[in-house]
Amino acid sequence: MSSDFAKRWQTVLARIRDTEQRFRRPPDSVQLLAVSKTRPATAIAALAAAGQRRFGENYLQEALDKMAELKALNLEWHFIGPIQANKTRSIAEHFAWVHSVDRLKIAERLNAQRPAALPPLNICLEVNIDREPSKHGLDESQITEVAQAAAALPRLRLRGLMAIPAPVSDFERQRQPFARLRELRDRLNAEGLALDTLSIGMSDDLEAAIAEGATLVRIGTALFGPRA
Ligand SMILES: *Cc1c(COP(=O)(O)O)cnc(C)c1O
């Protein structure tokens, strides 16, 4: 069982390294976030034993339970799910990163609630890059204003942008929304921000995301198998 996790972990890392090379990205410029939502603590521990340190969770209570159970492993936890305003305190207290900040009010609450004893909370702004009505995320038209305001909050570190494009299987079509997100990041940096993170790419489109500049891919299924 543990060796299955080690094997899948190595396979995903090889996909990342091969794709970096193929698209002339510097070696190790793409980090792997293991998305462990719905997976038991035993599966996380097995992947941690293989060498994985960063884990992403979508559901707060589930995440807190697993964090308590795995405290001794000193893992780095990233919150990547939808955020309700009444859950921000616990998120600010327990996570190193939040990828799914989709309105200024959430950034302001996380800033106010980040404990003084912890380093600033790393955040990404989630962009609804395909403008899907049912999806979370900021519209591109709101980004400059929200990013400038979030960057000024002292207990947060605005690191970059995150997106979950509508799923398509064709490689060239997968690249298009990722390219738009990269252009948005470049535009914000030209306006004076210093964003170093593009949180894009999942099990089925990580190659397209890396081709377009992903610095962190969020991978669940390819590491843990299909979700129930
Ligand atoms: C579940 C999830 C992932 C991982 O998706 P896979 O297709 O299983 O790799 C990545 N990002 C977010 C925000 C998710 O909710």
Side-chain angles (χ1 to χ4, degrees):
M1 166 107 162
S2 310
S3 75
D4 277 0
F5 283 108
K7 217 177 290 169
R8 280 198 289 251
W9 188 63
Q10 291 295 347
T11 302
V12 170
L13 286 179
R15 273 175 76 184
I16 293 171
R17 300 305 162 229
D18 288 351
T19 312
E20 282 175 346
Q21 248 188 348
R22 186 167 141 220
F23 293 96
R24 297 173 193 279
R25 300 282 312 278
D28 294 320
S29 54
V30 181
Q31 298 180 341
L32 171 58
L33 180 69
V35 175
S36 46
K37 62 170 176 238
T38 77
R39 315 295 181 171
T42 49
I44 297 174
L47 207 55
Q52 177 66 27
R53 308 308 307 164
R54 296 183 189 89
F55 290 86
E57 289 281 341
N58 297 56
Y59 310 108
L60 181 60
Q61 191 52 53
E62 178 195 330
L64 295 176
D65 292 345
K66 288 188 271 187
M67 282 176 184
E69 203 170 329
L70 298 166
K71 201 168 173 39
L73 297 183
N74 271 318
L75 303 173
E76 183 179 283
W77 294 97
H78 295 227
F79 193 81
I80 63 172
I83 304 174
Q84 295 165 261
N86 66 354
K87 301 282 174 65
T88 51
R89 180 176 301 280
S90 189
I91 293 172
E93 287 172 352
H94 289 95
F95 288 83
W97 281 71
V98 179
H99 294 240
S100 43
V101 175
D102 65 354
R103 49 206 196 275
L104 185 59
K105 175 184 170 187
I106 296 296
E108 288 169 342
R109 291 178 65 92
L110 292 169
N111 177 66
Q113 294 166 340
R114 180 67 165 174
L118 295 179
L121 179 64
N122 297 292
I123 68 158
C124 291
L125 297 177
E126 181 173 352
V127 180
N128 185 355
I129 196 71
D130 284 326
R131 297 204 152 119
E132 295 172 273
S134 61
K135 281 271 186 76
H136 293 272
L138 291 152
D139 189 85
E140 285 177 51
S141 63
Q142 305 171 287
I143 274 288
T144 294
E145 194 182 335
V146 175
Q148 294 288 353
L153 298 171
R155 300 297 297 141
L156 303 183
R157 245 184 102 194
L158 177 61
R159 298 295 297 268
L161 304 178
M162 183 271 236
I164 310 170
V168 291
S169 51
D170 175 73
F171 183 70
E172 292 306 322
R173 284 181 59 212
Q174 286 179 344
R175 287 181 67 159
Q176 292 166 11
F178 294 143
R180 290 203 305 278
L181 196 75
R182 172 173 46 75
E183 285 157 14
L184 201 54
R185 190 268 323 263
D186 292 345
R187 206 180 74 215
L188 291 169
N189 283 347
E191 291 166 1
L193 295 178
L195 307 183
D196 64 7
T197 300
L198 278 182
S199 170
I200 45 176
M202 316 203 302
S203 293
D204 291 333
D205 58 11
L206 76 87
E207 284 85 0
I210 292 172
E212 294 298 344
T215 62
L216 180 149
V217 292
R218 307 179 312 268
I219 308 298
T221 308
L223 287 169
F224 294 103
R227 276 182 295 276

